[in-house]
Amino acid sequence: MDNFYVSPTEFASISGVSRQTLIFYEKKGIFLPAYKNEKGYRFYLMSQLDIIATIQSLQKIGLSLEEIKDYIEHRNAQSTYELFSNKINTLKEIITTYHKMINMMETKCQLITKANQILTDMVYIEYRDEIKIIKSEHISFNSNEITQYKILGEHIKYRKKQNHSLGHAISGMVEWKKMLKSKRKKTFYQYYYTILDNQLEDENYDIIPSGNYLVIYHKGTYETSYQSYHLFLDYAKKNHLVLDDIAYDESLIDELTEANPQNYITQISVKFKKELEWALSYPLFFLYCCLLSFSVK
């Protein structure tokens, strides 16, 4: 490239950088004219286009003007390698953060869509795939509310520390049969838990097993979900089902989605087997029943 002087207007036109930007760079000491005459007129060399291209590239990767000035004055292959390596790692972290944000918002949209498609206070049968979860410390059924909220607080801290997705609200595991017998007027959780993203790995995760579940969608506050548990008993009795002792309370519409707690929608799931399947899973018990039936005849 020939080294001859051009005016700021010509240099700006060729480089794609405005005259105002060239003046700004000069004031900051980042990029100076090659020559100033006695009248103060500025002139640039065409070879300076390389520096302008460098400045624009460094701005695109997020360097401040102070960092650019320092880099230009001291740049070499090693410093460039270190700079770009660090920036690559930073950008990868940003991309990961954005992926998590997108996943959270997609999950919320899916939950809201599901909530808009179901009817509350009726029983559904749904097949659920295995779900990975992180459980809180166990909460004794005799624990007071202070203990319960303390354990909830610890689970919130752990969830935040591990940067787990906030797409799913914190869920709760309930010994629902015991809950009904206790005559309590507020849902009491034995565990809080967080549903993990499929991409996340955590060596301490637990599993909600796959299988067939009775599912109820309860409308109202979290504390009132127990009011729908009796529907499980009625349905199981009519259809000869044996229900597990644990119910899983998971929010579809929660405090992030809805201002009025009375409009919250909680998905309550209980795994079940048919009575014959339950009996066959206990061979000795089944054999005993057969012998007993034979002896009666």
Side-chain angles (χ1 to χ4, degrees), residues 248-284:
Y248 302 94
D249 283 18
E250 299 167 3
S251 294
L252 300 185
I253 302 295
D254 58 16
E255 62 276 4
L256 178 61
T257 316
E258 174 62 52
N260 184 355
Q262 299 302 324
N263 291 329
Y264 292 175
I265 302 292
T266 302
Q267 173 184 280
I268 310 169
S269 308
V270 174
K271 198 169 187 290
F272 73 87
K273 291 181 181 179
K274 292 185 177 179
E275 288 183 348
L276 181 59
E277 292 175 332
W278 178 78
L280 288 173
S281 65
Y282 295 88
L284 293 178

Side-chain angles (χ1 to χ4, degrees), residues 20 22 34-35 42 87 104 132 159 165 187 211 259 275:
Q20 291 81 358
L22 292 175
Y35 169 69
R42 299 170 176 81
K87 280 296 178 182
M104 182 274 283
K132 293 180 181 179
R159 174 183 167 105
S165 169
T187 305
E275 288 183 348

Side-chain angles (χ1 to χ4, degrees), residues 19 95 98 116 165:
R19 287 189 61 179
I95 291 170
Y98 276 116
N116 289 333
S165 169

